[in-house]
Amino acid sequence: MIDFIEELKKVRAYNTFIPFYPERIKGYTDAEIAQIERDCNIHIHGQFRQLLRQMGRCSGGLIWGWDICMYNYTWRYEQFTRYQNSVLIDFYNDDETRNAWEQSNLHPALNKIFIWNSSGESTRCYYLITTEPDDYLWEQDEYDNDMLITKTDLTILDDLQQQMEYWTNRFSANPNEMSPENYQYRIDNSNELFEYYTIGRLLP
C-alpha cells in the first residue's frame, strides 16, 4: 500500500507558495469508487484505487490539477462519464483515429480507458488502460508516432511526483522563474486556485 500523502509531501519544494492544507485531504468511499467505476465504465484497482481512497475528493494541495484531469476545474463529472463515448465517436468516424487504436491493439471501450493527464491543449494525453493489471500510464500524442497509444514506464505515483516537484519548484520563493506580474497574481490568488485545481471531479 502506497501512502500518497507522505510520498507527495517529500517532493514539495521548500518555501513554495503553493498552499497545502492537510486537514482538507479527503478520499472517496468504497461505495463512491464503485459508482465511479459504473459511471465511467472503468476498473479501479492498484495505485488508482489507493489514490482515490486517500485523496480523491480533495488533494489538500499535494496534487495540483493543471494537467491532471480529475482535479482540473475545466473538467466536469459529465465529461468523465462521456469520455469513452467521445473517443468512440472518433474511433468509428475517423480512419486515422481508428488505425491508431487498432495498431496499438487497444479499443477505447473494451479496454475501459480513463483520461488521466491532458497537456498541450489536449494534443498529448495520458490514459489509464484500466483493463490492464498494472499501474502504468499510456501516452498518445496527436503529432507524434502516428497517434499510437504506447505504454510508458511511468506509474501514477511517478507522474504525480514529477508533476508536483516541477510545479512547487517553479512557484517557489524565487520569482525569477516567471514574470513578476504572474508571480504576484499566483500569490494573491492562491486560495482561489486551490479550489480550481485540488478538488476531485469524478462525482457530481
Side-chain angles (χ1 to χ4, degrees):
M1 173 72 73
I2 294 171
D3 188 332
F4 278 87
I5 297 172
E6 290 304 315
E7 293 302 319
L8 293 173
K9 281 166 62 176
K10 293 176 184 176
V11 299
R12 279 177 60 87
Y14 175 73
N15 218 16
T16 182
F17 87 85
I18 294 180
F20 170 43
Y21 304 119
E23 70 280 3
R24 297 185 63 172
I25 294 174
K26 186 175 182 181
Y28 290 117
T29 66
D30 287 336
E32 289 172 329
I33 291 173
Q35 180 182 340
I36 294 167
E37 286 186 304
R38 292 191 299 270
D39 291 351
C40 296
N41 186 38
I42 58 177
H43 296 313
I44 298 176
H45 55 81
Q47 288 188 15
F48 192 28
R49 176 173 288 273
Q50 294 169 34
L51 175 69
L52 294 185
R53 290 186 72 181
Q54 293 175 41
M55 56 176 68
R57 278 201 172 274
C58 181
S59 76
L62 287 176
I63 301 171
W64 282 72
W66 283 294
D67 293 328
I68 307 300
C69 298
M70 60 183 269
Y71 292 106
N72 189 307
Y73 77 101
T74 62
W75 284 76
R76 295 290 184 270
Y77 162 75
E78 294 82 4
Q79 290 171 274
F80 288 103
T81 60
R82 295 194 304 257
Y83 189 81
Q84 278 182 31
N85 285 334
S86 69
V87 177
L88 277 174
I89 290 171
D90 291 338
F91 180 89
Y92 287 118
N93 291 281
D94 181 76
D95 291 340
E96 186 178 16
T97 298
R98 182 170 59 255
N99 182 66
W101 285 93
E102 289 178 344
Q103 290 297 312
S104 303
N105 295 314
L106 294 170
H107 185 282
L110 295 178
N111 290 106
K112 298 181 180 289
I113 66 166
F114 177 82
I115 181 68
W116 170 257
N117 181 323
S118 180
S119 59
E121 297 183 352
S122 298
T123 61
R124 175 180 294 169
C125 294
Y126 290 88
Y127 299 111
L128 292 172
I129 308 297
T130 68
T131 55
E132 290 287 299
D134 54 39
D135 301 302
Y136 292 100
L137 301 176
W138 293 65
E139 179 183 14
Q140 183 180 38
D141 192 325
E142 184 177 341
Y143 299 110
D144 190 33
N145 201 24
D146 296 322
M147 290 181 61
L148 294 182
I149 301 90
T150 56
K151 193 172 188 176
T152 74
D153 59 359
L154 289 174
T155 67
I156 293 171
L157 178 60
D158 294 333
D159 186 49
L160 291 177
Q161 287 176 319
Q162 289 183 13
Q163 291 259 341
M164 295 309 103
E165 184 174 23
Y166 169 78
W167 286 112
T168 57
N169 270 297
R170 182 176 177 187
F171 301 137
S172 67
N174 181 2
N176 295 329
E177 293 293 325
M178 66 185 80
S179 70
E181 294 80 9
N182 192 15
Y183 182 80
Q184 192 60 48
Y185 171 82
R186 299 283 184 175
I187 294 289
D188 294 342
N189 294 276
S190 60
N191 286 325
E192 183 177 0
L193 293 171
F194 182 93
E195 297 293 330
Y196 285 167
Y197 296 113
T198 66
I199 305 301
R201 316 274 171 188
L202 299 184
L203 286 177

